Amino acid sequence: MRQKDKVEKLLEDYPDIFADIINVLIYDGKQVISPKQLSETKVRSQYKAADSTLHEQERDILKVWKKGKDHKVIFGIENQTSTDKQMSFRIMGYDGASYRSQLNDDEDKKELCEVVTLILYFGNGHWDTSKELRDTFAKKGNVEKYANNYKLNVFEIAYLTEEQIKMFQSDFGIIADYFVKRRKGYKTIENHKPIKHVDEMLKFMRIFAEDERFLQLDVKKNEEGEVTMCTILDTAINKGIEQGISQGISQGISQGISQGITQGIAQGKIIGENATLQLVKILLANNKIQDID
């Protein structure tokens, strides 16, 4: 899981991809956030547990969006490849740390802003567990009216619509398209959109396609001098064919030698038996072999 998180973060940490994700999933494709308006902020925070022990927690990605003097939001992205019933506790802790950090860092408190966390779920099925704090409790205390609830913003990447896929302007659209088509069972996954972050895309495919060839590929550019998912998959397929042919030739030679030896022995036996029979006939003809009483 941590390895997958790192790969996802390599891609999503780029401002163009981060902004694109927010623009499509939050603002329905409108270009509200510009990559230049994003800035880094710390993803690690500390909290004290009930036993007074100090713990550290780390978010996947966290960026500050600031537009003008008065518009500011802290956006977080968390990646999941499996469902987590306790996810609302984690997100509540992450968001709480971001709010607490604002109180600690901003002396005049004029820059306090909202914190919004998106959960990108890369599973092949639906998120089938709780999406809010209230649903995590097996026993109810009849205090729903007073207990604060905390809802999750879960986005199932494999179930994004074609309209949403078309809204993406960054490499993330290629990723989303891949997950949707994989979930639908497409035999071929074609996408001719040029890839900007090629190395990170190959690392991503290596993890999620579970195919080591994606880190061994010498990807060729197309006639336009671009790398697309099609050129990547074509290279992977060709490499697979080359490896298959090489392996087939090797196995063929090995089997050929083995079969040759087997056939040679068999033919040798036949030749030997024929030669012996022929010799016996010659000796009999010359009376060299006499019957033994």
Side-chain angles (χ1 to χ4, degrees), residues 18-20 22-23 27 30-35 37-38 65 75:
F18 191 94
D20 195 31
I22 304 299
N23 283 334
Y27 297 109
K30 297 177 182 177
Q31 299 305 297
V32 176
I33 297 178
S34 167
Q37 297 168 342
L38 296 172
W65 172 47
F75 283 108

Side-chain angles (χ1 to χ4, degrees), residues 192-205:
H192 299 279
K193 188 175 181 179
I195 298 171
K196 181 178 180 181
H197 308 290
V198 177
D199 183 61
E200 288 75 14
M201 180 69 74
L202 289 175
K203 288 184 173 67
F204 182 92
M205 293 301 294

Side-chain angles (χ1 to χ4, degrees), residues 150-182:
Y150 207 84
K151 297 183 179 181
L152 301 178
N153 301 308
V154 178
F155 295 91
E156 300 172 336
I157 303 304
Y159 288 88
L160 294 179
T161 65
E162 291 185 11
E163 290 74 16
Q164 287 175 306
I165 298 295
K166 293 177 181 178
M167 292 178 186
F168 287 106
Q169 299 185 11
S170 71
D171 291 347
F172 195 81
I174 301 171
I175 294 171
D177 182 61
Y178 166 78
F179 275 95
V180 171
K181 288 179 178 177
R182 188 186 71 168

Side-chain angles (χ1 to χ4, degrees), residues 2-18 21 40 60-61 63 77 79 171-172 175 196-208 215:
R2 297 310 305 170
Q3 188 178 20
K4 292 182 178 180
D5 277 345
K6 291 178 182 178
V7 172
E8 290 161 355
K9 281 192 265 190
L10 283 173
L11 281 164
E12 297 164 351
D13 201 36
Y14 282 105
D16 64 311
I17 292 183
F18 191 94
I21 291 172
E40 301 290 334
D60 285 351
I61 305 175
K63 292 185 184 296
I77 290 180
N79 299 297
D171 291 347
F172 195 81
I175 294 171
K196 181 178 180 181
H197 308 290
V198 177
D199 183 61
E200 288 75 14
M201 180 69 74
L202 289 175
K203 288 184 173 67
F204 182 92
M205 293 301 294
R206 176 246 177 177
I207 294 295
F208 287 92
L215 276 189

Side-chain angles (χ1 to χ4, degrees), residues 134-281:
R134 184 175 295 158
D135 292 338
T136 62
F137 303 112
K139 297 181 180 179
K140 307 295 183 181
N142 297 323
V143 290
E144 287 188 9
K145 182 179 178 180
Y146 304 97
N148 291 325
N149 195 21
Y150 207 84
K151 297 183 179 181
L152 301 178
N153 301 308
V154 178
F155 295 91
E156 300 172 336
I157 303 304
Y159 288 88
L160 294 179
T161 65
E162 291 185 11
E163 290 74 16
Q164 287 175 306
I165 298 295
K166 293 177 181 178
M167 292 178 186
F168 287 106
Q169 299 185 11
S170 71
D171 291 347
F172 195 81
I174 301 171
I175 294 171
D177 182 61
Y178 166 78
F179 275 95
V180 171
K181 288 179 178 177
R182 188 186 71 168
R183 192 258 306 171
K184 291 181 177 181
Y186 279 53
K187 293 183 179 180
T188 58
I189 300 177
E190 295 186 4
N191 194 309
H192 299 279
K193 188 175 181 179
I195 298 171
K196 181 178 180 181
H197 308 290
V198 177
D199 183 61
E200 288 75 14
M201 180 69 74
L202 289 175
K203 288 184 173 67
F204 182 92
M205 293 301 294
R206 176 246 177 177
I207 294 295
F208 287 92
E210 298 181 348
D211 193 334
E212 293 294 329
R213 288 177 301 170
F214 284 103
L215 276 189
Q216 303 168 1
L217 298 180
D218 181 17
V219 179
K220 306 298 182 182
K221 296 182 179 180
N222 59 19
E223 295 179 356
E224 288 76 27
E226 301 168 336
V227 174
T228 69
M229 183 60 77
C230 287
T231 59
I232 289 177
L233 294 178
D234 286 344
T235 305
I237 292 170
N238 291 334
K239 188 174 182 66
I241 292 173
E242 290 174 3
Q243 291 177 342
I245 292 173
S246 177
Q247 185 177 358
I249 291 173
S250 177
Q251 291 178 349
I253 291 173
S254 176
Q255 292 175 358
I257 292 173
S258 176
Q259 291 175 358
I261 292 173
T262 302
Q263 292 176 0
I265 292 173
Q267 291 176 359
K269 286 181 179 179
I270 294 173
I271 293 172
E273 291 171 355
N274 292 339
T276 301
L277 181 60
Q278 192 67 24
L279 179 60
V280 169
K281 288 181 179 180

